[in-house]
Amino acid sequence: MRYRPISPAVLAEELTERIAALPGRRIAVAVDGAAGATETAELADALVDPLRLRGRAALRVSARDFLRPASLRFEHGRTNPEARYTDWLDIGALRREVLDPLREGGSGEILPSLWDAERDRATRAKRVPVPEGGVVLVDGELLLGAGLAFDLAVHLWLSPAALRRRVPDAWAIPAYERYEAEADPSSLADVVVRVDDPRHPALYTP
């Protein structure tokens, strides 16, 4: 794969331009990458103000606020990589509460968060209206290949060596390796960014 070195600021600028050029309806954008190692939230946050300056209302959602309750996530232990891959994210809730309302005929109102994983209880958040032309930026891990309907997907990719070096939960590495092998997120994403060194990202150029 060929990569073009790019600064974080220019990366955010190029992504903003690409998102702003999408059809002027409500859309969802995924920023996908290994938790704790790829700074998905920081990149999604960096797109909010530039999108607003271009006339696209931008709202932020984190997939970590749509995790299943601890009783389900940790049914097979707290450090089970298979459970991390298949059982942690409540895909149905993320689809139902965030993505489906953005579709044609949807309510246009999303739930910005559902579950507080640290306190292990519902957040009781209120629904938020997304104006026509608005962009919902969803950051998280293992988002691609699960049938979630994003209008644009950005995947922050780590080489195998960087994955082993940078993922804080070493026990979870098999989950990411399985994701790479089975879902092949780089083939599903619209934009792939190599982030072995987050200070010096590189944009994949086909």
Side-chain angles (χ1 to χ4, degrees), residues 62-77:
S62 290
R64 65 178 176 270
D65 294 323
F66 286 84
L67 297 181
R68 291 190 169 99
S71 61
L72 299 176
R73 296 201 314 278
F74 304 142
E75 183 178 2
H76 302 290

Side-chain angles (χ1 to χ4, degrees), residues 70-92:
S71 61
L72 299 176
R73 296 201 314 278
F74 304 142
E75 183 178 2
H76 302 290
R78 291 179 173 268
T79 58
N80 186 302
E82 295 301 308
R84 178 79 169 251
Y85 185 68
T86 61
D87 298 337
W88 277 35
L89 179 62
D90 192 338
I91 293 172

Side-chain angles (χ1 to χ4, degrees), residues 40-41 60-67 89 115-117 139-141:
T40 57
R60 283 282 287 109
V61 170
S62 290
R64 65 178 176 270
D65 294 323
F66 286 84
L67 297 181
L89 179 62
W115 196 259
D116 185 331
D139 78 277
E141 65 173 19

Side-chain angles (χ1 to χ4, degrees), residues 1-6 11 38 155-162 165-166 191-204:
M1 299 179 75
R2 296 173 297 172
Y3 289 92
R4 169 169 58 91
I6 190 171
L11 172 63
T38 56
H155 177 59
L156 304 185
W157 183 78
L158 292 168
S159 67
R165 183 176 68 248
R166 296 190 53 211
V191 179
V192 178
V193 186
R194 182 169 181 164
V195 290
D196 286 3
D197 181 345
R199 299 166 299 176
H200 303 286
L203 189 65
Y204 171 62

